[in-house]
Amino acid sequence: MNNLLILPVILPFAVGALLILFAKYGRLQRIISSIAVISLLCVSVYLASRSYIDGTQTLELGNWQAPFGIVFVGDLFSTFMVVLSSIVGVVCLFFAFCTLDRRRERFYFYPFYFFLLTGVNGAFLTGDLFNLFVFFEVMLLSSYALIAFGGTGYQLREGFKYTVINVFASALFLVGVAYLYGITGTLNMADLAVRIGEIGQTGTLQVVAMIFFIVFAMKGALFPLYFWLPNSYYGPPAAIAALCGGLLTKVGIYAIIRSFTLIFTNDTGFTHTLLLWIAGLTMFFGILGAVAQFDFKRILPYNIISHVGYIIMGLGLYTRIALAGAVFYIAHHIIVKSSLFLFEGATKKVTGTSDLRQMGGLLKTHPWLAWLFLISALSLAGIPPFSGFFSKLPLIRESLTIGNYWIAAVALVVGILTLISMMRIFSHVFWGEQKHTEEQAAISLKKPLLAIVPLVILTIILGLGAEPVFLYSLEIADQLLDPTTYIDAVLGEAK
């Protein structure tokens, strides 16, 4: 059964390579893509269930025993992330079917789409840092193409900036890998945890830890390294913006959580206090950007920035409840943020613009669009009974319990400002005088909404079923705080 661990990587890679051959056959590409992405979701759910029932799963490629060979690790956290990426992959693909210009399909949209999923899933499942770098590059190379997809001047300009920034981050990643290998003689994550524990805290290791933090913070859009994100996600079509907005920053956040709960844990008083301050600043400055915007599609990237701060807040607090809240928040944010980008694409399909000042009256002509958007918007702001409330609640309660009142205050203020930014969208886009023509009002959104509905249903389910979801998050937090299970599963007798 462990051989199935490689399927979330091999399946999208093989499908992406196959679709290159059929780039000119749009219908055939859509059929193959549909079968592949649904199969990927089924495999991901199965792997998550096996890791929950049977414990952490490992796969040593080529039968090379860890730490010398390539190893894939399917623990509760990594398989949970793979399931989330597969859900977003399914929804965004079906939304692309009904909104993407057919001419654009011919320019290898589907191959790059699946290559990006390959990199994302590989980053979640890999058990060593060098292959984490490799899968980061697979993901980023695909994202370079997708962000520039369509070839407008704006996309090419911002895509170039995005590429340059990430090339620099990748170079810095390699520097960190080289330093860490020079100190420990290994890049296997489980083996690193053992050897760094034996070496103890040194100034050099602290520097290496900060190098990795800078790399992952740049990819995760944390303060002050988030400047690349708002413009990069503004240009692409909604399906691509939703895929990138939902997943790409979470890969960087996943890497931070994995490395600072498994590898760099010798001086949590310094590292995790720093993480907590970074979380607060990310939340605060991100939401200031959101409330300052009057463009639907520009508000959403700033909300990504502010809300990844909540996740890092849980890591910075570094308690069982806080980490469980962070894990819960990852699921909530991936689902809700992806849906909001898709809602923006649906409204633009009708109105032809994302400028709030040129929009209005969609509640009258497209009521289902309005009310479904409102559910996701309220969930993002943390209004009960949706997932946003129940994922924020443990973070704020835990910060108050352990006496970090300032971060609780920041989190509450950011929640209020998030609600203001979402209600600004709702009041301008859906209320008020109808500013789109009757011809535009007649545009049907049945198919795009059918694609988005699963995400809206999920945020409701995560809210109404918060208790079992949080209990599952607690089990993930237990594994993160006690990495013995991970280390034993990977190294076994080699430890």
Side-chain angles (χ1 to χ4, degrees), residues 23-24 100-109 149-152:
K24 307 302 179 184
L100 199 65
D101 182 355
R102 295 291 177 248
R103 181 181 61 84
R104 288 183 170 185
E105 285 185 337
R106 295 173 174 266
F107 293 97
Y108 303 98
F109 167 74
F149 190 69
T152 67

Side-chain angles (χ1 to χ4, degrees), residues 9 37 62 79 83 114 141 146 166 186 201 214 222 329 342-343 374 414 431 440 457-458 469 478 482:
V9 177
V37 79
T79 54
V83 169
F114 280 95
L141 286 170
L146 290 175
N166 279 285
T186 184
Q201 183 60 39
I214 291 170
L222 297 180
Y329 207 91
L342 297 181
F343 279 123
L374 183 62
V414 169
W431 287 104
Q440 289 174 314
I457 293 173
L458 277 174
V469 176
D478 288 335
D482 181 14

Side-chain angles (χ1 to χ4, degrees), residues 327-349:
V327 171
F328 196 160
Y329 207 91
I330 289 174
H332 151 73
H333 193 251
I334 287 175
I335 290 166
V336 171
K337 184 52 66 175
S338 298
S339 71
L340 289 171
F341 272 105
L342 297 181
F343 279 123
E344 185 279 330
T347 60
K348 192 171 184 178
K349 183 178 176 67

Side-chain angles (χ1 to χ4, degrees), residues 12 34 42 77 94 126 151 184 194 228 260 288 408 431 443 489:
S34 301
C42 294
F77 189 33
F94 281 94
T126 187
T184 63
V194 173
W228 58 269
F260 283 89
L288 287 185
W431 287 104
I443 295 174

